[in-house]
Amino acid sequence: MQNTRAASFRLYHFPLSPFSRKVRLSLAEKRIEVELVEERYWEPDHDFLRRNPAGKIPVLKVGNRHLAESAAICEYLEEIEPEPPLLPQSAEARYEVRRLVGWFDDKFYHEVTSKLLGERVHKKVMGGGYPDSANVKAGARAIKFHIDYMAWLLDQRRWLAGNELSLADFAAAAQLSCLDYISDVDWNRSETVKDWYAKIKSRPAFRSILADQLPGFPQPAHYADLDF
Amino acid sequence: MQNTRAASFRLYHFPLSPFSRKVRLSLAEKRIEVELVEERYWEPDHDFLRRNPAGKIPVLKVGNRHLAESAAICEYLEEIEPEPPLLPQSAEARYEVRRLVGWFDDKFYHEVTSKLLGERVHKKVMGGGYPDSANVKAGARAIKFHIDYMAWLLDQRRWLAGNELSLADFAAAAQLSCLDYISDVDWNRSETVKDWYAKIKSRPAFRSILADQLPGFPQPAHYADLDF
């Protein structure tokens, strides 16, 4: 363990990438120091492709190894640094965390984040033209269903996957915080979900996320406000 | 452990769903008996949605619980029934398995399977009309890159993620076997990949996959042939 911790960690990321944010939150919660390197991943150069044949971010450099796939990275961090735990003890409870990580990484991302953030921000940053309004509308419609689902879960539990904070909360907060940066989350839809986000936002692990800035997209006032 | 094993397992699946196949392979390798129930998941009725709010297959019923998200299900099976292991011991080796599971579940599926199987089979079964030839072409192009990547990995290792069979091999074989059913895999592209598939195809866990039949899509002769 000591050896791994002593190794230098470097994360190639992009500020408004939800998958980078999920890994950043895990690293910060476990107090693993990491050097952040911003990667314009849509302009893959030879070097970046060598680090990750999938051409995606985040990529975590641990010693001489380059780790890709955010879900696999988070499981790895949990195994090399179990404290504080982001996965519970029982197989049933761990299943529920992983189910929800999959829900937010896959379903929420494709139905909401890629449609809103993808159209409004990534297209502009990558020089892909104007947002497709059909996609934006579909994303704006879908986020309501997801917030209602979160509210339903949080009516039964303190955190999304159970009574302890877990990777599921970070997976969800990673997506929502990116959308909140472009003011695409209607926090008035659910008091329960807003309370959950206020709790997670005030954690020390969230500080670097709240400090993110993207040129051309000024941070809205409520974004870093803990009392939003 | 005994309690869980004693509970009845039922899997709601679809024969040519790669994610269902991945779970079926894990169950069979671990010799967990399961009742298979075919689910026409694109015609969601109330009952199926109650089992899985994401409206997806596979769904594994364990006792009174309904488990969704194939990656989370496979990790759960590994925890309740560790023998034979489908994840190795060290954190680094486990990371590599999970990275590749993510690669096949996400990248391979979206770039290849959804484009070939989605257009040629699911569209017809679901009454969605004719295949989109641009998608079919994109899928046929992408599978070459993926087979080359697998060949590159298998030049260095006995199995995809290392020297032991793992979930990564099942994730890959689940996708490829669905495509092989519609004769969309060019096994002549790589002798190494063909040898790997022959090894995995001859495992007892693969038998039920080779027996699959989909009305309207007769099984090609090579599909179940161990000497293809």
Side-chain angles (χ1 to χ4, degrees):
Chain A
M1 201 88 56
Q2 278 310 102
N3 280 344
T4 317
R5 286 300 297 275
S8 65
F9 283 73
R10 181 187 292 165
L11 186 73
Y12 299 93
H13 81 118
F14 186 70
L16 288 197
S17 147
F19 303 106
S20 301
R21 286 185 167 202
K22 186 180 59 170
V23 174
R24 288 164 69 194
L25 287 168
S26 288
L27 287 162
E29 189 76 17
K30 293 179 177 294
R31 295 195 186 81
I32 299 174
E33 275 190 49
V34 62
E35 178 196 355
L36 293 178
V37 177
E38 203 175 311
E39 190 74 60
R40 296 176 70 84
Y41 61 98
W42 57 93
E43 299 167 350
D45 57 30
H46 235 63
D47 238 38
F48 184 60
L49 281 180
R50 188 173 45 72
R51 283 196 288 275
N52 173 19
K56 291 196 301 188
I57 50 156
V59 170
L60 182 67
K61 183 166 182 273
V62 181
N64 289 321
R65 299 185 70 206
H66 289 94
L67 313 186
E69 289 288 339
S70 68
I73 293 173
C74 289
E75 295 269 358
Y76 173 77
L77 294 175
E78 188 66 21
E79 297 188 350
I80 62 162
E81 186 53 69
E83 295 295 331
L86 292 173
L87 278 175
Q89 284 300 309
S90 79
E92 286 70 23
R94 292 161 77 84
Y95 157 76
E96 181 65 356
V97 172
R98 290 175 173 133
R99 176 184 77 85
L100 286 168
V101 169
W103 178 287
F104 289 100
D105 282 3
D106 181 19
K107 190 173 171 68
F108 188 100
Y109 174 74
H110 285 109
E111 291 177 1
V112 182
T113 313
S114 73
K115 297 221 159 39
L116 294 171
L117 195 71
E119 293 292 340
R120 287 200 218 269
V121 177
H122 292 159
K123 235 180 185 174
K124 189 171 166 188
V125 172
M126 300 177 195
Y130 290 101
D132 176 327
S133 67
N135 274 342
V136 171
K137 271 182 204 154
R141 213 168 30 237
I143 195 175
K144 293 180 187 174
F145 158 76
H146 283 279
I147 289 180
D148 292 350
Y149 181 56
M150 292 173 71
W152 179 79
L153 290 173
L154 291 165
D155 275 343
Q156 311 162 55
R157 312 158 166 184
R158 290 188 54 222
W159 296 94
L160 282 173
N163 286 329
E164 305 296 333
L165 172 87
S166 77
L167 270 178
D169 299 287
F170 284 168
Q175 302 283 335
L176 282 166
S177 64
C178 287
L179 295 168
D180 194 38
Y181 190 98
I182 53 170
S183 303
D184 263 342
V185 184
D186 173 12
W187 296 113
N188 291 323
R189 188 166 178 90
S190 160
E191 200 62 35
T192 315
V193 174
K194 188 179 178 182
D195 288 349
W196 164 85
Y197 192 62
K199 267 198 298 180
I200 210 161
K201 204 172 170 176
S202 64
R203 296 183 86 79
F206 225 80
R207 272 179 213 148
S208 110
I209 304 275
L210 297 182
D212 275 344
Q213 295 280 359
L214 185 65
F217 295 87
Q219 210 189 70
H222 74 271
Y223 173 77
D225 185 356
L226 297 183
D227 204 23
F228 57 111
Chain B
M1 204 88 56
Q2 280 306 104
N3 281 342
T4 316
R5 286 301 297 276
S8 65
F9 283 74
R10 181 186 293 165
L11 187 73
Y12 299 93
H13 82 117
F14 185 70
L16 289 196
S17 147
F19 303 106
S20 301
R21 286 185 167 203
K22 186 180 59 171
V23 174
R24 288 165 67 194
L25 288 168
S26 288
L27 286 162
E29 188 76 17
K30 292 178 177 295
R31 297 195 185 80
I32 299 174
E33 275 191 48
V34 63
E35 176 197 357
L36 293 179
V37 177
E38 204 175 310
E39 189 75 62
R40 296 177 70 84
Y41 62 98
W42 57 92
E43 298 167 352
D45 58 28
H46 234 64
D47 239 38
F48 184 62
L49 281 179
R50 187 173 48 72
R51 285 197 286 276
N52 173 18
K56 292 195 301 189
I57 50 158
V59 171
L60 181 68
K61 183 166 182 273
V62 182
N64 289 321
R65 299 185 71 206
H66 289 94
L67 314 186
E69 289 288 337
S70 67
I73 293 174
C74 290
E75 294 269 359
Y76 173 76
L77 293 176
E78 189 66 19
E79 297 188 350
I80 61 162
E81 186 53 69
E83 294 299 328
L86 293 173
L87 278 175
Q89 284 300 308
S90 80
E92 285 70 23
R94 293 162 75 85
Y95 157 76
E96 181 64 355
V97 172
R98 288 175 173 133
R99 176 184 78 84
L100 285 168
V101 169
W103 177 286
F104 289 100
D105 283 3
D106 182 19
K107 190 173 172 68
F108 187 100
Y109 174 75
H110 284 109
E111 292 177 2
V112 182
T113 313
S114 74
K115 297 223 160 37
L116 293 171
L117 195 72
E119 293 293 339
R120 287 201 217 270
V121 176
H122 291 160
K123 235 181 186 173
K124 189 171 166 189
V125 172
M126 299 177 193
Y130 290 102
D132 176 328
S133 66
N135 276 341
V136 171
K137 271 182 204 153
R141 213 169 27 240
I143 195 174
K144 295 180 187 173
F145 158 76
H146 282 279
I147 288 180
D148 293 350
Y149 181 54
M150 291 173 71
W152 180 79
L153 290 172
L154 291 166
D155 274 343
Q156 312 165 53
R157 311 160 167 183
R158 289 189 55 224
W159 296 95
L160 283 173
N163 286 330
E164 306 296 334
L165 172 87
S166 76
L167 269 178
D169 299 286
F170 284 168
Q175 303 283 334
L176 283 165
S177 64
C178 287
L179 295 167
D180 193 38
Y181 189 100
I182 54 171
S183 304
D184 263 342
V185 184
D186 173 12
W187 295 114
N188 292 323
R189 189 167 180 90
S190 161
E191 200 63 36
T192 315
V193 175
K194 189 180 177 182
D195 288 348
W196 164 85
Y197 192 62
K199 268 199 297 181
I200 209 161
K201 205 172 169 177
S202 64
R203 295 184 86 79
F206 225 78
R207 272 178 214 150
S208 109
I209 305 275
L210 297 182
D212 275 344
Q213 294 282 359
L214 186 65
F217 295 87
Q219 211 188 70
H222 73 272
Y223 174 76
D225 185 358
L226 296 184
D227 205 22
F228 57 109

